[in-house]
Amino acid sequence: MSTGSKGHKRFFRSDKAFDIVNISILVVVLLICAYPLWFIIVASVSNPDLVNTGKVWLWPRDVSFTGYRNLFGDPSIMRGYRNTLLYTFGGTVLNLLVTLPAAYALSRKDFVGRKFFNIMFLVTMFFSGGLIPTFLTVRSLGLYNNPWVMVILGATSMTNIIISRTFFQSNIPDELEDAAKIDGCGNFRLFCQIVLPISSAIVAVMALFFAVNHWNGYFTAMIYIRDEEWKPLQIVMREVLLQSQFNAEMLQQGGDTLGMLQEELRAAEQIRYALIVVASIPVMLLYPFIQKYFVKGVTVGAVKG
């Protein structure tokens, strides 16, 4: 066998060994990330007593769907789920309507006052009015205990504007805009009919960022929403957890209602796990369809050195 063949064989073996090591590491990382999600699903349909004693860790035991039945039978939980869907959809649409035009305007070299507005926008990343001035502003605008506060407050973020602006600067050639202007295309039509159709990556990324933020948001509702009718799912989940802790304290004290409290505590445990599953499903189902846009958008929207 020639020396070249031996060298090629050694290279092939080392390359194969490298692939095996990489795959092994990735499998371990996958298991570490996936197991908590799997455990939550398993615990949501298992006997809470077995879960609390550590007897459930891989497969369901004493399968019961009581948690899901109680979950979907509780009007407050389903109402919170409905509210969160509305806030996520409405808030994301408003975020995109504000963020993308602002980012495109800041990316245009012919925009009058571009540097001034860039500086003013950047200032908001480092300084804010604080909670009390924001609360007073919200109340003076009539948005306190108003569901619109969940959509309007925080209509955009400067970080996402910067990412979108960089995307437009890097991927929208000046020649394309010049050609559109020669054909009589105005700025609004240029943005809607030319720029947006070729910017699906950044639109998908921004939609994902804003949607996840709205879906997981609870602080705004905790401060500004008092009506039970308009509380989002995250606040309802918090109240369920607090109620289960209260029941646990009552259980420790004992009394004539010991048996009833034990049943309530078991039901609360199953509802807790079921809530996590139900609250995570929409985002987990959405992400695989826009993953390619997410990766591409973050890459091309980054600042290149």
Side-chain angles (χ1 to χ4, degrees):
M1 184 179 292
S2 63
T3 305
S5 300
K6 292 181 180 179
H8 179 72
K9 188 175 182 180
R10 285 196 299 269
F11 176 79
F12 176 77
R13 289 178 178 176
S14 62
D15 191 51
K16 187 175 181 180
F18 179 77
D19 290 340
I20 292 175
V21 172
N22 275 344
I23 293 174
S24 301
I25 294 175
L26 291 175
V27 169
V28 172
V29 173
L30 174 63
L31 293 176
I32 293 174
C33 296
Y35 176 73
L37 300 176
W38 175 249
F39 176 78
I40 292 297
I41 296 175
V42 170
S44 67
V45 295
S46 299
N47 188 322
D49 294 333
L50 298 178
V51 175
N52 292 332
T53 55
K55 296 180 180 179
V56 174
W57 61 280
L58 188 59
W59 302 109
R61 296 187 59 182
D62 193 6
V63 178
S64 172
F65 294 94
T66 304
Y68 289 98
R69 284 196 295 267
N70 293 335
L71 174 65
F72 291 107
D74 190 339
S76 65
I77 293 177
M78 298 312 299
R79 185 169 57 243
Y81 206 94
R82 177 206 64 188
N83 293 338
T84 297
L85 288 174
L86 292 176
Y87 297 151
T88 301
F89 177 77
T92 302
V93 171
L94 179 62
N95 292 143
L96 294 177
L97 291 176
V98 174
T99 301
L100 295 178
Y104 177 68
L106 293 176
S107 70
R108 294 287 300 271
K109 296 179 180 179
D110 58 346
F111 176 56
V112 179
R114 175 188 176 193
K115 292 184 178 180
F116 170 78
F117 286 107
N118 270 310
I119 294 174
M120 294 302 296
F121 275 48
L122 286 172
V123 167
T124 63
M125 296 182 63
F126 304 100
F127 303 98
S128 65
L131 179 59
I132 295 177
T134 303
F135 179 86
L136 295 176
T137 302
V138 168
R139 190 175 63 177
S140 65
L141 292 175
L143 294 176
Y144 181 75
N145 201 27
N146 188 324
W148 280 103
V149 72
M150 299 294 296
V151 177
I152 296 176
L153 193 64
T156 187
S157 71
M158 190 56 207
T159 302
N160 292 335
I161 289 181
I162 291 177
I163 295 176
S164 302
R165 182 197 64 182
T166 307
F167 177 91
F168 291 134
Q169 288 176 340
S170 304
N171 294 271
I172 308 299
D174 296 335
E175 293 78 10
L176 182 63
E177 298 177 350
D178 295 338
K181 288 182 178 179
I182 293 176
D183 292 336
C185 186
N187 290 324
F188 182 78
R189 185 180 177 187
L190 171 65
F191 175 71
C192 295
Q193 296 186 4
I194 297 179
V195 175
L196 284 183
I198 62 177
S199 305
S200 57
I202 197 63
V203 174
V205 171
M206 290 298 104
L208 178 64
F209 282 175
F210 286 123
V212 171
N213 183 62
H214 283 291
W215 186 265
N216 294 327
Y218 72 94
F219 185 76
T220 300
M222 186 172 63
I223 299 298
Y224 301 109
I225 300 294
R226 289 292 174 265
D227 192 345
E228 297 288 337
E229 185 69 21
W230 296 110
K231 288 185 177 180
L233 180 62
Q234 303 300 332
I235 295 297
V236 177
M237 291 176 61
R238 176 177 177 270
E239 293 176 350
V240 170
L241 296 178
L242 292 177
Q243 184 64 37
S244 64
Q245 293 177 358
F246 173 77
N247 289 342
E249 294 176 358
M250 294 293 294
L251 183 61
Q252 291 178 353
Q253 296 178 5
D256 297 334
T257 59
L258 181 60
M260 183 179 64
L261 287 174
Q262 286 178 335
E263 291 299 324
E264 291 182 359
L265 188 58
R266 292 191 188 98
E269 286 291 329
Q270 277 199 320
I271 291 177
R272 179 188 305 180
Y273 290 115
L275 268 173
I276 297 174
V277 174
V278 172
S280 303
I281 283 177
V283 177
M284 294 176 65
L285 292 178
L286 177 65
Y287 181 76
F289 294 99
I290 60 177
Q291 180 182 10
K292 60 179 180 179
Y293 298 109
F294 177 79
V295 176
K296 181 180 178 182
V298 171
T299 302
V300 298
V303 178
K304 299 177 182 179

